[in-house]
Amino acid sequence: MQPALATQGTFPHGYGVKSEGMGGAGIALAQDGLAGATNPAGMVEVGNRLDLGAAFLKVDNGSRFAGTRFDGSADKSLYVIPQLGANRMLDDTSSIGLSVVGNGVGTAYRHSDDIGGLRGPRSELKQMVATASYARKLDEANAIGAGLVLARQVLDIDGPGGLGLPEGRDDSYGAGVRVGWTARLASGLTFGATYASRIHMSRMDEFRGLLAEHGGLDVPANYGAGLAWRIGATTIAADYLRIEWSDVRSLGNPGVTSAGGPPGSRDGPGFGWHDQSVWRFGIAHAVSDALTLRAGYNHGTKLLDPRDGFLGVLAPSANRRHATIGASYAFGKDTELSLAYAHSFKETVHGTGPAPDGVTDLYMGQRWLSVGYAMRF
């Protein structure tokens, strides 16, 4: 599995093709076997099914350093992100499931580029995250779910060698938990809540002298709540998600000009990422028994700090707004094809303060096409 290039930090705007078409909304609205990656309680609502999908991601990212623009997608701009979801009902009130998704971020500058001593910089963080879940209906209105989250990540970095810092490739493994709850508040109105713990990843020895905490790079904790309202053939959904990026020191520590320690130490330079609030809104309308149309919008608060831009050359995650559309077509009661398109608007964060952080501007824009095929059994 080769996940890469997410749309908010290392996370995509949503999990599952149907959710992606609705701006990522899904905490209170389970639609497929990928629901366990958002709220495991929803898996008891999707029945017996298998979902296979992939996202094709076209990026436009890079940086401007001391007035010179460098294209971070010059050598690679198209990425493929697989998805898999499966769910099995144990009885009328409980289910077990598996939701496998990809996270990541990266760049691919020209080999001839020299950005403040970063020579031929390129980076790729690929995370595979699998949630093995159990969900149960407590009564007619309430359901709960819990999942064991297992993660593997691969980090590949070139460029820091020009500054005498480590570069190369390493991987690590970790585990965490995700829990969730859904409640029917009234006819057609559902509330959902979810929490995912920090995934403590093993250290990457190859980057002990580059990443804070001697090669540490964990997956941050996140939590959120949502509502879904069904009105006849139309469903409206809204989520709030909070991501605690700053707790992961490699991501949240200040940049090279204001870090409290040398590279690789606990207080060493990081990307300066802020904790992020994300609002996700979506609407779906069943045109017929076979065809459903979707649309949505996703908006995150500012992730990058303009005072900490230099390391962001390797991960210029400036984009934070997404407009989405999607559709599903059922070929019968047992098979279904879904599509989603997301446009992540190109944004630039302009560096401030002393060099090199202050002379580094970062930009990112993306287009995202997803396709998924479902089988019910």
Side-chain angles (χ1 to χ4, degrees), residues 4-15 37 57 81 101-105 125 127 129 149 151 153 178 196-199 218-223 241-245 248 251 273 276 278 280 298 303 317 319-320 322 344 364 366 368:
L5 271 291
T7 58
Q8 284 160 337
T10 63
F11 291 176
H13 68 281
Y15 293 123
L57 184 60
I81 307 171
V101 298
N103 301 329
V105 69
L125 172 65
Q127 295 176 334
V129 183
V149 183
Q153 65 182 1
R178 179 178 285 278
S197 72
R198 178 171 174 171
I199 301 177
D218 294 340
V219 180
N222 57 92
Y223 55 88
L241 180 69
R242 183 71 172 174
I243 309 171
E244 298 181 338
W245 299 111
V248 180
L251 302 175
W273 286 8
Q276 196 172 31
V278 182
R280 310 188 292 204
N298 179 301
L303 177 67
S317 300
N319 57 316
R320 55 196 182 95
H322 314 76
S344 183
M364 172 80 84
Q366 296 175 352
W368 176 294

Side-chain angles (χ1 to χ4, degrees), residues 34-175:
L34 278 299
T38 300
N39 184 352
M43 293 289 272
V44 77
E45 301 291 342
V46 301
N48 297 313
R49 62 185 296 135
L50 174 67
D51 292 271
L52 301 172
F56 300 88
L57 184 60
K58 181 77 171 178
V59 302
D60 176 12
N61 65 9
S63 58
R64 182 181 295 273
F65 182 81
T68 300
R69 182 182 179 275
F70 297 92
D71 185 355
S73 55
D75 282 352
K76 184 177 182 179
S77 62
L78 181 64
Y79 297 81
V80 181
I81 307 171
Q83 301 176 347
L84 181 148
N87 195 60
R88 177 75 177 180
M89 299 298 297
L90 300 176
D91 51 40
D92 291 340
T93 60
S94 61
S95 70
I96 55 173
L98 178 67
S99 305
V100 183
V101 298
N103 301 329
V105 69
T107 53
Y109 295 90
R110 292 182 178 86
H111 291 287
S112 59
D113 287 344
D114 187 333
I115 308 177
L118 296 173
R119 298 173 184 169
R122 53 192 302 135
S123 65
E124 194 166 24
L125 172 65
K126 299 178 288 187
Q127 295 176 334
M128 182 180 71
V129 183
T131 303
S133 60
Y134 172 79
R136 186 173 186 85
K137 293 181 181 179
L138 301 179
D139 51 38
E140 290 299 317
N142 295 275
I144 57 173
L148 172 65
V149 183
L150 302 175
R152 177 181 183 262
Q153 65 182 1
V154 178
L155 179 61
D156 196 334
I157 296 179
D158 291 318
L163 299 172
L165 296 172
E167 59 183 19
R169 184 181 187 275
D170 207 343
D171 60 4
S172 64
Y173 300 82

